[in-house]
Amino acid sequence: MKNKLMPTIVLTCICIIVALLLAVVNTITAPKIEQLQYEKEQAALAKVYPGGNNFVDISTDRLPASVTKAYTEDGGGYVFQMTVTGYKSGLIIMCGIDPDGNVTGADFIKSSETLSAEIGLGQSYIGQNSDSFEPILVSAATKTTNAYANAIKAALEAYEILADKEGK
Amino acid sequence: MKNNKLSILLRGIIQENPVLILVLGTCPTLATTGNVISALSMGLAATFVLVCSNAVISALRKIIPDTVRIPCYIVIIAGFVTILQLLLQAYLPSIYDMLGVYLALIVVNCIILGRAEMFARKNPIANSVLDGLGMGLGFLVALLAMATVREVLGAGSFAGIVLPFMDEIKIPILTQAPGGYLVFGILIAVMNKLTEKRGGVKKKSFSCEGCPSAAACKGGCDVKTEEKEENVNV
């Protein structure tokens, strides 16, 4: 009986000790990681919305499903974060839109895809709005650029919803 | 005694180099040797995990039952890798981003599990730590050698510092996957040549202890090996 129980007891004890150790390290590093993530997010927001001030996180209820985060800024513009699927799921793109509804910038936040020319796609969408929106595609088969175009379209739709709500 | 400890430490660097002689840890070797900084980071990260896991596994070698030893080793190794991930994410985020998924993949690096199984579970703590350090340094040296060739000849820079005289003669494919395989093959060939001069790597006879088919075959491998040796002698 002892021989049968011993492996289970030893493995359980090792798991508990390792979990406790990880909890201690996590407690020490969590605030620092959170702070770094906040700074990274602010840098990304400033990149897609140059000159924007005091970005505030707002609710994404009633916005298109791919919009996972939305921010307002003091000047009346918005920044949207979209999670879309290219070759793989989890492609995160951020897009800034000024108070007139024009795209101020867009960029990849997280990607598991092999990016080459797609890195500069955000620049190509600057100045587009809901009326002038035109997807920038290499071909209909390029999944990353399609996903990028869908993300920008979702951001413009989200802007329209919020602008209607505010009566702009 | 001192010589014995020194030989344990040095064995992993040349004689039993994990990358160039044992051909273990090929995935991170090919993936992180595009530049010297990422190779150095990966080498140091793997050395940290190797030393810590070897020490703990050696300390617990009399407590861990044989039947659950692999799950126990994996939990211990994964624990150290996660600690390293959290520390890098908090204090060296650029290195954390640079290594990406390959940092988490240290858990399944065969060098680490291999040393736990082949050395740490049979030897005292001090020797296991030295073995982990030696193997880690061997891994680091191999990664640095490969990254230096790939970055200097492929990108015309060293650790991000541009080498002006290399700019016009660089071979960009060396920084990509095919170049990685090419340099890896050449370094293995060079290492084989070097060890050949030293008398070659002796073939070891493996015991049935760690073989999953041991119960069924009853030492068949040993019998076959002996038969082959006899035939050769005849």
Side-chain angles (χ1 to χ4, degrees):
Chain A
M1 190 63 183
K2 192 187 167 191
N3 285 342
K4 281 184 181 176
L5 280 177
M6 202 55 187
T8 315
I9 293 167
V10 170
L11 186 55
T12 309
C13 288
I14 288 175
C15 287
I16 291 169
I17 293 167
V18 170
L20 286 173
L21 204 61
L22 287 178
V24 171
V25 177
N26 186 49
T27 311
I28 297 165
T29 56
K32 182 78 181 162
I33 292 170
E34 207 173 309
Q35 173 68 19
L36 284 170
Q37 274 174 347
Y38 174 77
E39 283 169 12
K40 207 173 171 181
E41 196 176 88
Q42 290 299 312
L45 288 166
K47 193 176 176 187
V48 297
Y49 199 106
N53 282 316
N54 193 23
F55 294 99
V56 178
D57 203 343
I58 58 168
S59 166
T60 56
D61 291 348
R62 298 198 298 160
L63 298 183
S66 59
V67 177
T68 49
K69 275 187 176 179
Y71 304 83
T72 55
E73 64 92 37
D74 282 352
Y78 295 96
V79 174
F80 300 101
Q81 183 176 297
M82 284 68 61
T83 303
V84 289
T85 302
Y87 279 100
K88 296 171 192 169
S89 59
L91 182 64
I92 301 177
I93 293 162
M94 207 174 242
C95 174
I97 297 177
D98 68 16
D100 301 325
N102 299 317
V103 173
T104 55
D107 199 13
F108 288 103
I109 300 299
K110 190 182 168 194
S111 164
S112 315
E113 325 217 341
T114 313
L115 303 175
S116 52
E118 293 89 346
I119 291 170
L121 268 175
Q123 291 290 317
S124 315
Y125 282 101
I126 292 176
Q128 288 203 17
N129 56 40
S130 301
D131 300 326
S132 67
F133 176 71
E134 198 174 316
I136 294 160
L137 305 171
V138 177
S139 83
T142 50
K143 293 192 173 183
T144 311
T145 49
N146 266 323
Y148 210 108
N150 289 336
I152 303 294
K153 197 177 171 188
L156 289 167
E157 282 172 18
Y159 167 80
E160 290 297 329
I161 293 166
L162 292 172
D164 281 349
K165 198 176 157 188
E166 288 179 10
K168 282 183 184 175
Chain B
M1 188 68 179
K2 269 187 180 176
N3 282 340
N4 184 33
K5 293 214 184 298
L6 191 66
S7 75
I8 292 173
L9 180 69
L10 296 179
R11 202 170 43 197
I13 300 173
I14 296 178
Q15 201 184 347
E16 286 184 21
N17 187 290
V19 178
L20 302 174
I21 298 289
L22 305 178
V23 198
L24 298 173
T26 307
C27 172
T29 302
L30 290 169
T32 62
T33 51
N35 68 70
V36 171
I37 300 291
S38 63
L40 182 70
S41 313
M42 172 53 77
L44 291 175
T47 306
F48 168 79
V49 177
L50 253 167
V51 171
C52 295
S53 62
N54 262 16
V56 173
I57 288 165
S58 173
L60 298 176
R61 68 188 188 281
K62 288 174 185 165
I63 300 169
I64 297 173
D66 247 17
T67 47
V68 289
R69 67 180 192 279
I70 299 294
C72 289
Y73 298 164
I74 294 286
V75 171
I76 292 165
I77 295 166
F80 282 116
V81 172
T82 313
I83 288 170
L84 184 70
Q85 268 188 301
L86 290 170
L87 292 173
L88 285 180
Q89 199 178 356
Y91 301 107
L92 292 168
S94 55
I95 300 287
Y96 176 81
D97 289 339
M98 189 190 286
L99 294 180
V101 72
Y102 295 101
L103 191 58
L105 283 177
I106 293 176
V107 175
V108 286
N109 188 320
C110 23
I111 301 169
I112 293 164
L113 195 60
R115 292 328 289 174
E117 178 70 6
M118 299 293 287
F119 196 93
R121 81 181 185 103
K122 299 168 189 167
N123 290 282
I125 300 176
N127 288 356
S128 299
V129 168
L130 285 175
D131 178 72
L133 192 61
M135 285 289 160
L137 289 176
F139 185 55
L140 178 65
V141 167
L143 290 190
L144 281 179
M146 200 163 149
T148 304
V149 174
R150 290 182 71 187
E151 194 183 345
V152 170
L153 299 180
S157 62
F158 180 79
I161 302 161
V162 178
L163 305 171
F165 52 91
M166 288 299 300
D167 203 39
E168 287 176 10
I169 54 165
K170 64 186 179 189
I171 313 161
I173 199 169
L174 289 180
T175 58
Q176 293 162 12
Y181 280 103
L182 190 70
V183 175
F184 190 41
I186 291 169
L187 285 180
I188 288 177
V190 169
M191 201 64 172
N192 278 348
K193 192 70 187 166
L194 288 175
T195 51
E196 194 181 40
K197 278 183 185 170
R198 292 159 59 95
V201 180
K202 285 179 186 173
K203 283 187 180 175
K204 286 180 179 175
S205 58
F206 293 97
S207 68
C208 298
E209 203 177 337
C211 177
S213 313
C217 81
K218 293 175 185 173
C221 297
D222 290 343
V223 174
K224 280 175 195 167
T225 313
E226 281 166 17
E227 278 173 5
K228 274 183 191 172
E229 281 172 2
E230 277 170 18
N231 289 338
V232 170
N233 291 337
V234 169

